[in-house]
Coordinates of all heavy atoms in Angstrom, one line a residue:
L1256 N -10.3 -6.6 45.3 CA -9.2 -6.7 46.2 C -8.3 -5.5 46.0 O -7.7 -5.0 47.0 CB -8.4 -8.0 46.1 CG -9.1 -9.2 46.7 CD1 -8.5 -10.5 46.3 CD2 -9.2 -9.1 48.2
S1257 N -8.1 -5.0 44.8 CA -7.3 -3.9 44.5 C -7.8 -2.6 45.1 O -7.1 -1.8 45.7 CB -7.1 -3.7 43.0 OG -6.4 -4.8 42.4
L1258 N -9.2 -2.5 45.0 CA -9.8 -1.3 45.7 C -9.7 -1.3 47.2 O -9.4 -0.3 47.9 CB -11.3 -1.3 45.3 CG -11.6 -0.9 43.8 CD1 -13.0 -1.1 43.5 CD2 -11.1 0.5 43.5
V1259 N -9.8 -2.5 47.8 CA -9.7 -2.7 49.2 C -8.2 -2.4 49.6 O -8.0 -1.7 50.6 CB -10.1 -4.1 49.7 CG1 -9.7 -4.4 51.1 CG2 -11.6 -4.3 49.4
Y1260 N -7.3 -2.9 48.8 CA -5.9 -2.6 49.1 C -5.6 -1.1 49.1 O -5.0 -0.6 50.0 CB -5.0 -3.2 48.0 CG -3.6 -2.7 48.0 CD1 -2.7 -3.0 49.0 CD2 -3.1 -1.9 47.0 CE1 -1.4 -2.5 49.0 CE2 -1.8 -1.4 47.0 CZ -1.0 -1.7 48.0 OH 0.3 -1.2 48.0
A1261 N -6.1 -0.4 48.1 CA -5.8 1.1 48.0 C -6.5 1.8 49.2 O -5.8 2.6 49.8 CB -6.4 1.6 46.7
A1262 N -7.7 1.4 49.6 CA -8.3 2.0 50.8 C -7.6 1.8 52.0 O -7.4 2.7 52.8 CB -9.8 1.5 50.9
L1263 N -7.2 0.5 52.2 CA -6.4 0.2 53.5 C -5.0 0.8 53.5 O -4.6 1.3 54.6 CB -6.3 -1.4 53.6 CG -7.5 -2.1 53.9 CD1 -7.3 -3.6 53.9 CD2 -8.1 -1.7 55.3
L1264 N -4.4 0.9 52.3 CA -3.1 1.5 52.3 C -3.2 3.0 52.6 O -2.4 3.5 53.5 CB -2.4 1.4 50.9 CG -1.1 2.0 50.8 CD1 -0.1 1.3 51.7 CD2 -0.6 1.8 49.3
F1265 N -4.1 3.7 52.0 CA -4.3 5.1 52.3 C -4.7 5.4 53.8 O -4.2 6.3 54.5 CB -5.3 5.8 51.4 CG -4.7 6.0 50.0 CD1 -5.3 5.4 48.9 CD2 -3.6 6.8 49.8 CE1 -4.9 5.7 47.6 CE2 -3.1 7.1 48.6 CZ -3.7 6.5 47.5
A1266 N -5.6 4.5 54.3 CA -6.0 4.7 55.7 C -4.8 4.4 56.7 O -4.6 5.1 57.6 CB -7.1 3.7 56.0
T1267 N -4.0 3.4 56.4 CA -2.9 3.0 57.2 C -1.8 4.1 57.2 O -1.3 4.5 58.2 CB -2.3 1.7 56.8 OG1 -3.3 0.7 56.8 CG2 -1.1 1.3 57.7
I1268 N -1.5 4.6 56.0 CA -0.6 5.7 55.9 C -1.1 6.9 56.7 O -0.3 7.6 57.5 CB -0.3 6.1 54.4 CG1 0.4 5.0 53.7 CG2 0.4 7.5 54.3 CD1 0.5 5.2 52.2
Y1269 N -2.3 7.2 56.6 CA -2.9 8.4 57.3 C -2.8 8.1 58.9 O -2.3 9.1 59.6 CB -4.4 8.5 57.0 CG -5.1 9.6 57.7 CD1 -5.1 10.9 57.3 CD2 -5.8 9.4 59.0 CE1 -5.7 12.0 58.0 CE2 -6.4 10.4 59.7 CZ -6.3 11.7 59.2 OH -6.9 12.7 59.9
L1270 N -3.1 7.0 59.3 CA -3.0 6.7 60.7 C -1.5 6.8 61.2 O -1.3 7.4 62.3 CB -3.5 5.3 61.0 CG -5.0 5.0 60.9 CD1 -5.3 3.6 61.1 CD2 -5.8 5.9 61.9
F1271 N -0.6 6.3 60.5 CA 0.8 6.4 60.9 C 1.4 7.8 60.8 O 2.1 8.2 61.7 CB 1.7 5.4 60.1 CG 1.7 4.0 60.7 CD1 0.7 3.1 60.3 CD2 2.6 3.6 61.7 CE1 0.6 1.8 60.9 CE2 2.5 2.4 62.3 CZ 1.6 1.5 61.9
V1272 N 1.0 8.5 59.8 CA 1.5 9.9 59.6 C 1.0 10.8 60.7 O 1.8 11.7 61.2 CB 1.1 10.5 58.2 CG1 1.3 12.0 58.2 CG2 1.9 9.8 57.1
H1273 N -0.2 10.5 61.2 CA -0.8 11.3 62.2 C -0.5 10.8 63.6 O -1.0 11.3 64.6 CB -2.3 11.5 62.0 CG -2.6 12.4 60.8 ND1 -2.6 12.0 59.5 CD2 -2.7 13.8 60.8 CE1 -2.8 13.0 58.7 NE2 -2.9 14.1 59.4
G1274 N 0.2 9.7 63.7 CA 0.6 9.1 65.0 C -0.5 8.6 65.8 O -0.4 8.7 67.1
T1275 N -1.6 8.1 65.2 CA -2.8 7.7 66.0 C -2.7 6.3 66.4 O -3.6 5.8 67.1 CB -4.0 8.0 65.2 OG1 -4.0 7.4 63.9 CG2 -4.2 9.5 65.0
V1276 N -1.7 5.5 65.9 CA -1.7 4.1 66.3 C -0.4 3.8 67.0 O 0.7 4.3 66.6 CB -1.9 3.1 65.1 CG1 -3.3 3.2 64.6 CG2 -0.9 3.5 63.9
A1284 N -2.4 -2.7 62.2 CA -2.6 -1.7 61.2 C -1.6 -1.8 60.0 O -2.0 -1.7 58.8 CB -2.6 -0.3 61.7
A1285 N -0.4 -2.0 60.4 CA 0.7 -2.1 59.3 C 0.5 -3.3 58.4 O 0.9 -3.3 57.3 CB 2.0 -2.2 60.0
L1286 N -0.2 -4.4 59.0 CA -0.4 -5.6 58.2 C -1.6 -5.5 57.3 O -1.8 -6.3 56.4 CB -0.5 -6.8 59.1 CG 0.8 -7.3 59.8 CD1 0.6 -8.4 60.8 CD2 1.8 -7.7 58.7
L1287 N -2.5 -4.6 57.6 CA -3.8 -4.6 56.9 C -3.6 -4.4 55.4 O -4.3 -5.2 54.6 CB -4.7 -3.4 57.4 CG -5.3 -3.7 58.8 CD1 -6.1 -2.5 59.2 CD2 -6.2 -4.9 58.7
P1288 N -2.8 -3.6 54.8 CA -2.6 -3.5 53.4 C -2.1 -4.8 52.8 O -2.3 -5.0 51.6 CB -1.7 -2.4 53.2 CG -1.7 -1.5 54.4 CD -2.0 -2.5 55.5
A1289 N -1.4 -5.6 53.5 CA -0.9 -6.8 53.0 C -2.0 -7.9 52.7 O -1.8 -8.7 51.8 CB 0.2 -7.5 53.9
L1290 N -3.1 -7.8 53.4 CA -4.1 -8.8 53.3 C -4.8 -8.9 51.9 O -4.9 -10.0 51.4 CB -5.2 -8.6 54.4 CG -4.6 -8.8 55.9 CD1 -5.7 -8.5 56.9 CD2 -4.0 -10.2 56.1
P1291 N -5.2 -7.7 51.3 CA -5.7 -7.9 50.0 C -4.7 -8.3 48.9 O -5.1 -9.0 48.0 CB -6.2 -6.5 49.7 CG -6.1 -5.7 50.9 CD -5.3 -6.4 51.9
L1292 N -3.4 -8.0 49.1 CA -2.4 -8.5 48.2 C -2.3 -10.0 48.3 O -2.2 -10.7 47.3 CB -1.1 -7.8 48.4 CG -1.0 -6.3 48.1 CD1 0.4 -5.8 48.4 CD2 -1.4 -6.1 46.7
Y1348 N 8.3 -5.6 51.0 CA 7.1 -5.6 50.3 C 7.3 -5.3 48.8 O 6.4 -5.5 48.0 CB 6.0 -4.7 50.9 CG 6.3 -3.3 51.0 CD1 6.2 -2.5 49.9 CD2 6.6 -2.7 52.2 CE1 6.5 -1.1 50.0 CE2 6.9 -1.4 52.3 CZ 6.8 -0.6 51.2 OH 7.1 0.8 51.3

Side-chain angles (χ1 to χ4, degrees):
L1256 286 167
S1257 297
L1258 291 171
V1259 171
Y1260 166 72
L1263 288 174
L1264 181 62
F1265 285 120
T1267 303
I1268 290 170
Y1269 178 87
L1270 291 173
F1271 275 89
V1272 166
H1273 290 87
T1275 57
V1276 290
L1286 288 173
L1287 286 177
L1290 297 178
L1292 293 179
Y1348 60 76

